[in-house]
Amino acid sequence: MLNEKMQELVLFSHINRQGSLSAAAQHLGISRSSVSKQLAALEKKIGARLFNRTTRKIMLTDVGRKVLQEAHNVELALQRIEHISEDSRSVVAGELTVSCPAAQGRIHIAPLMTEFLNRYPSVSVNLQLEDRVVDMVAENIDVSIRVGYLPDSTLIARKLSDVSWVLCASPTYLETAPSLDKPSDLLNHPCLYYRSAKVTMNTWSFSSNDGEEEITVSGPFAVNDPGVLVSAALDHAGVLLLDKGLLGSTIEEGKLVPLLEEYQAIGGLPTYVVYPEREYIPAKTRALVDFLLEKVPAAIHRAHEIRSLT
């Protein structure tokens, strides 16, 4: 009976997290009718409705909000028990869900996963490439890669690298483009920059022996995917300022040309590996964090070193 109640509470938490009975059923791999029956059984035991339902959405009742907190406590307790059990073994095993910005994931993280999985054959990795800040606890994310300074939270953050930037454009674009000898000349060029619903990165800063200079650039194309920005630069659409590590081999191969090299672009952001603070860190999480701390800085350094020689 106790186990049944715990299962119902965990199911209730999943329904709230997924936003509907159907989505929770799909996430858990069970039928919608089973989800509906278990929710009805829990509401009967509690003696109150937990959700107000419409044809389009569900919303927690006052009782539901109070029960949700207890459901979260049950989930955390079960996770702690699982982690204690896992830590009691020396074998690193289980599934890891990893969240990472799309461009960083494609270029830096995904290529390392084969080596990690070969090192730990009892581990499987679910790598989610998405340009948003995930709720690691609510979404059951084990490890997240984040770029930028982190607000205070209950997450543990370990720095992987500092991002450095390079200004560049394609040789074909430069053949007919206006001169570009100093940062203020960027005002005469179409510039390619990152823009999302929350941030617009079109204020570019540079330093030199004469001090610092800040330019707000403009251009016909902005996008929230650095990989697409690189493609636009390769298609001769304009001037790009981007993390060196996201340019791949484009500079080495001469497809993009560094610009204003006597100036230092300012504003590179640190990259962190982040995981939830827990009393018991699962062996699989600790193994991946240690692996990324070992491999990612070296991989980024090698990439930058190769490009500095070209």
Side-chain angles (χ1 to χ4, degrees):
M1 181 65 70
L2 179 60
N3 183 52
E4 183 179 301
K5 288 182 179 178
M6 291 173 67
Q7 289 178 344
E8 290 168 352
L9 283 170
V10 171
L11 174 71
F12 165 61
S13 181
H14 276 293
I15 295 171
N16 179 70
R17 189 175 298 139
Q18 298 298 323
S20 73
L21 274 65
S22 297
Q26 184 176 5
H27 179 76
L28 295 170
I30 59 179
S31 67
R32 187 189 184 286
S33 61
S34 177
V35 170
S36 180
K37 288 178 183 178
Q38 291 184 60
L39 176 61
L42 179 61
E43 289 179 327
K44 184 176 180 180
K45 291 170 186 173
I46 293 172
R49 292 184 67 85
L50 301 177
F51 291 110
N52 288 320
R53 306 175 189 51
T54 68
T55 56
R56 292 189 174 184
K57 61 181 179 179
I58 58 174
M59 295 178 293
L60 287 167
T61 63
D62 289 339
V63 173
R65 278 188 285 271
K66 295 176 182 177
V67 173
L68 181 63
Q69 182 57 55
E70 300 306 318
H72 284 166
N73 291 338
V74 169
E75 282 191 296
L76 289 173
L78 291 174
Q79 287 177 5
R80 291 191 189 102
I81 292 170
E82 178 185 344
H83 298 155
I84 292 170
S85 173
E86 185 178 353
D87 264 11
S88 69
R89 306 189 306 266
S90 60
V91 177
V92 178
E95 181 178 88
L96 279 165
T97 300
V98 182
S99 173
C100 183
Q104 284 81 0
R106 285 194 299 269
I107 294 172
H108 297 314
I109 304 303
L112 294 172
M113 287 300 97
T114 298
E115 182 179 351
F116 176 74
L117 294 172
N118 286 337
R119 184 181 295 188
Y120 301 104
S122 296
V123 174
S124 61
V125 173
N126 175 15
L127 180 61
Q128 302 291 316
L129 303 182
E130 47 196 352
D131 291 315
R132 67 184 181 91
V133 178
V134 299
D135 185 331
M136 295 189 67
V137 176
E139 299 180 49
N140 291 320
I141 304 295
D142 297 293
V143 174
S144 180
I145 308 298
R146 294 188 177 176
V147 178
Y149 298 102
L150 303 174
D152 293 336
S153 71
T154 59
L155 302 176
I156 299 173
R158 306 280 300 278
K159 184 186 281 190
L160 290 173
S161 69
D162 286 304
V163 172
S164 57
W165 298 78
V166 62
L167 187 75
C168 59
S170 73
T172 300
Y173 168 79
L174 294 171
E175 286 176 2
T176 57
S179 61
L180 183 50
D181 302 314
K182 56 187 182 300
S184 60
D185 290 337
L186 287 167
L187 298 175
N188 302 320
H189 291 258
C191 294
L192 311 168
Y193 57 91
Y194 181 95
R195 183 176 184 179
S196 68
K198 295 184 177 180
V199 63
T200 299
M201 299 178 65
N202 68 328
T203 299
W204 298 353
S205 300
F206 303 87
S207 66
S208 68
N209 294 334
D210 297 327
E212 296 184 3
E213 188 171 354
E214 188 176 272
I215 304 295
T216 298
V217 302
S218 62
F221 186 58
V223 66
N224 65 344
D225 186 324
V228 176
L229 288 173
V230 174
S231 296
L234 291 171
D235 287 337
H236 328 303
V239 179
L240 172 65
L241 179 67
L242 195 65
D243 167 20
K244 289 181 181 179
L246 301 182
L247 291 172
S249 59
T250 56
I251 290 180
E252 180 185 357
E253 296 172 357
K255 296 177 180 177
L256 295 177
V257 177
L259 304 171
L260 298 183
E261 293 187 272
E262 63 274 27
Y263 293 85
Q264 175 66 48
I266 302 172
L269 299 174
T271 300
Y272 295 93
V273 56
V274 180
Y275 53 98
E277 183 177 17
R278 291 175 177 145
E279 187 176 355
Y280 299 97
I281 304 300
K284 61 185 180 181
T285 299
R286 186 167 54 246
L288 179 60
V289 169
D290 289 344
F291 176 83
L292 293 175
L293 288 169
E294 172 193 351
K295 296 294 182 178
V296 172
I300 292 176
H301 176 75
R302 282 195 301 272
H304 289 180
E305 192 173 59
I306 290 171
R307 291 176 191 114
S308 68
L309 296 174
T310 59

